[in-house]
Short mmCIF file of all heavy atoms in Angstrom, two decimals:
data_model
loop_
_atom_site.label_atom_id
_atom_site.label_comp_id
_atom_site.label_asym_id
_atom_site.label_seq_id
_atom_site.Cartn_x
_atom_site.Cartn_y
_atom_site.Cartn_z
N GLY A 10 -5.36 25.72 0.67
CA GLY A 10 -6.70 26.30 0.62
C GLY A 10 -7.82 25.35 0.95
O GLY A 10 -7.77 24.63 1.96
N THR A 11 -8.81 25.33 0.06
CA THR A 11 -10.05 24.60 0.35
C THR A 11 -9.87 23.09 0.30
O THR A 11 -10.64 22.36 0.92
CB THR A 11 -11.16 24.99 -0.63
OG1 THR A 11 -10.68 24.76 -1.96
CG2 THR A 11 -11.52 26.45 -0.49
N GLY A 12 -8.89 22.64 -0.47
CA GLY A 12 -8.60 21.21 -0.47
C GLY A 12 -9.65 20.36 -1.14
O GLY A 12 -9.83 19.19 -0.77
N SER A 13 -10.31 20.88 -2.16
CA SER A 13 -11.34 20.06 -2.82
C SER A 13 -10.70 18.89 -3.58
O SER A 13 -11.28 17.80 -3.66
CB SER A 13 -12.21 20.90 -3.75
OG SER A 13 -11.45 21.43 -4.81
N ASN A 14 -9.53 19.10 -4.13
CA ASN A 14 -8.84 17.98 -4.79
C ASN A 14 -8.35 16.97 -3.76
O ASN A 14 -8.38 15.76 -4.00
CB ASN A 14 -7.69 18.50 -5.64
CG ASN A 14 -8.18 19.27 -6.85
OD1 ASN A 14 -9.37 19.36 -7.11
ND2 ASN A 14 -7.24 19.84 -7.60
N GLY A 87 -2.54 22.11 -4.39
CA GLY A 87 -2.94 23.47 -4.07
C GLY A 87 -2.06 24.10 -3.01
O GLY A 87 -2.48 25.06 -2.36
N MET A 89 0.32 26.68 -2.21
CA MET A 89 0.64 27.89 -2.97
C MET A 89 1.95 28.52 -2.51
O MET A 89 2.06 29.73 -2.33
CB MET A 89 -0.53 28.88 -2.88
CG MET A 89 -1.85 28.32 -3.41
SD MET A 89 -1.76 27.64 -5.09
CE MET A 89 -1.80 29.15 -6.03
N THR A 107 -0.25 19.08 -8.74
CA THR A 107 -1.33 19.30 -9.71
C THR A 107 -1.32 20.78 -10.09
O THR A 107 -1.01 21.65 -9.27
CB THR A 107 -2.71 18.96 -9.11
OG1 THR A 107 -3.00 19.86 -8.05
CG2 THR A 107 -2.75 17.54 -8.61
N HIS A 108 -1.66 21.05 -11.33
CA HIS A 108 -1.65 22.44 -11.80
C HIS A 108 -2.83 22.67 -12.74
O HIS A 108 -3.07 21.86 -13.64
CB HIS A 108 -0.34 22.76 -12.50
CG HIS A 108 -0.21 24.20 -12.89
ND1 HIS A 108 0.00 25.20 -11.95
CD2 HIS A 108 -0.33 24.82 -14.08
CE1 HIS A 108 0.03 26.37 -12.57
NE2 HIS A 108 -0.17 26.17 -13.86
N PRO A 109 -3.53 23.81 -12.58
CA PRO A 109 -4.73 24.05 -13.39
C PRO A 109 -4.42 24.72 -14.73
O PRO A 109 -5.00 25.75 -15.06
CB PRO A 109 -5.57 24.96 -12.48
CG PRO A 109 -4.55 25.76 -11.74
CD PRO A 109 -3.38 24.83 -11.52
N GLY A 117 2.87 28.76 -12.67
CA GLY A 117 2.82 29.77 -11.61
C GLY A 117 1.53 29.76 -10.83
O GLY A 117 0.67 28.89 -10.98
N HIS A 166 -11.98 27.65 -13.45
CA HIS A 166 -11.25 26.83 -12.47
C HIS A 166 -12.13 25.67 -11.99
O HIS A 166 -11.65 24.54 -11.84
CB HIS A 166 -10.80 27.70 -11.29
CG HIS A 166 -9.63 27.14 -10.54
ND1 HIS A 166 -8.92 27.86 -9.62
CD2 HIS A 166 -9.04 25.92 -10.57
CE1 HIS A 166 -7.96 27.11 -9.11
NE2 HIS A 166 -8.02 25.92 -9.68
N LYS A 170 -10.99 21.77 -12.24
CA LYS A 170 -10.69 20.95 -11.04
C LYS A 170 -11.14 19.49 -11.15
O LYS A 170 -10.39 18.59 -10.74
CB LYS A 170 -11.28 21.61 -9.80
CG LYS A 170 -10.42 22.75 -9.25
CD LYS A 170 -10.97 23.23 -7.92
CE LYS A 170 -10.18 24.40 -7.37
NZ LYS A 170 -10.69 24.79 -6.04
N GLU A 173 -8.50 17.77 -13.02
CA GLU A 173 -7.32 17.61 -12.16
C GLU A 173 -7.49 16.42 -11.22
O GLU A 173 -6.58 15.62 -11.02
CB GLU A 173 -7.12 18.84 -11.27
CG GLU A 173 -6.46 20.02 -11.92
CD GLU A 173 -6.14 21.06 -10.86
OE1 GLU A 173 -5.14 20.90 -10.14
OE2 GLU A 173 -6.90 22.04 -10.73
C1 GAR B 1 -5.99 23.42 -7.73
O1 GAR B 1 -6.56 23.84 -8.95
C2 GAR B 1 -4.50 23.26 -7.88
O2 GAR B 1 -4.10 22.74 -9.10
C3 GAR B 1 -4.05 24.68 -7.75
O3 GAR B 1 -4.79 25.16 -6.66
C4 GAR B 1 -6.08 24.54 -6.70
C5 GAR B 1 -6.39 24.02 -5.32
O4 GAR B 1 -7.76 23.75 -5.22
N1 GAR B 1 -2.65 24.77 -7.55
C6 GAR B 1 -1.90 25.71 -8.13
O5 GAR B 1 -2.36 26.60 -8.82
C7 GAR B 1 -0.41 25.60 -7.85
N2 GAR B 1 0.32 26.42 -8.75
P1 GAR B 1 -8.36 23.00 -3.94
O6 GAR B 1 -7.74 23.64 -2.71
O7 GAR B 1 -9.83 23.24 -4.03
O8 GAR B 1 -7.99 21.55 -4.07
#
Side-chain angles (χ1 to χ4, degrees):
T11 56
S13 64
N14 291 355
M89 301 307 282
T107 65
H108 185 73
H166 203 168
K170 280 187 182 183
E173 280 189 79

